[in-house]
Amino acid sequence: MEAANPDFAQAVRAVVLSMPAAKHLGFDFGRIEPGAVEVVQPYRQELTEHNGFFQGGVLGSLADFAAGSAAGTLLPPGWVNMTIDYTVKIVAPAKGEQVIARGRVVKPGRTTTVAAADVVAVSGPEETLCATALVTMRNIKV
C-alpha cells in the first residue's frame, strides 16, 4: 500500500495522540507504516478488571485506535477518519506487562475504509492473541 501523504506517520501520531481518549489510555505507537500500525499499551492497574486482566472495553478501544490509525496512514493531507462501526471478539484473557494492537487496512476507499486489528497480551517474550476486531472508518476532508 502506498501513503498519499509523505508525512503520514507524523500526521497519524499528531491527530490520534491529541484525542482526549488516547491521552486517558496513555498508549503510544510502535511501528507506523502505510496501511499498518502498532499501538502499545503498558499495563496500568486502572485499565484492568478485578483479576488483573486488561478490561474488555480497553481492548476494544485499542483495536479501534490501531485499525483507525492504519486507515489514517493512507489518507491524503487534510483528511481524517472516524469510526462508523467495529466488532471485537475477545478470544483469551489479556494479562501481561502490555498489550499491543496491530492494525491493518483490509480495503481502502475514498469515503470508507475497512480495517482490522489483532490485540496481543505480552508477558516477557510470550505473546497471546486476546482479541481481534473488524473496523469500518468514514474518511472526511477537514
Side-chain angles (χ1 to χ4, degrees):
M1 292 188 186
E2 201 168 309
N5 181 351
D7 297 321
F8 69 90
Q10 180 181 356
V12 166
R13 284 183 65 83
V15 167
V16 173
L17 294 179
S18 70
M19 294 179 187
K23 288 179 183 178
H24 174 73
L25 288 169
F27 65 77
D28 203 355
F29 285 95
R31 73 182 168 97
I32 302 176
E33 299 172 359
V37 166
E38 284 185 347
V39 169
V40 180
Q41 175 65 63
Y43 176 88
R44 291 192 3 238
Q45 185 176 2
E46 64 268 28
L47 301 179
T48 65
E49 47 94 64
H50 61 278
N51 289 319
F53 299 113
F54 281 87
Q55 198 273 337
V58 172
L59 301 178
S61 292
L62 295 171
D64 180 33
F65 273 115
S69 295
T73 65
L74 302 181
L75 295 176
W79 285 68
V80 296
N81 58 20
M82 296 178 169
T83 304
I84 294 174
D85 68 18
Y86 68 96
T87 301
V88 178
K89 301 297 181 189
I90 298 173
V91 298
K95 192 166 191 173
E97 298 95 45
Q98 63 183 359
V99 289
I100 300 173
R102 295 185 176 115
R104 67 191 178 285
V105 172
V106 174
K107 176 75 169 126
R110 186 182 176 312
T111 57
T112 59
T113 298
V114 177
D118 290 327
V119 182
V120 297
V122 180
S123 192
E126 301 291 320
E127 289 188 359
T128 302
L129 178 67
C130 54
T132 190
L134 190 61
V135 182
T136 306
M137 305 299 295
R138 168 76 61 203
N139 305 323
I140 302 167
K141 185 165 178 52
V142 290

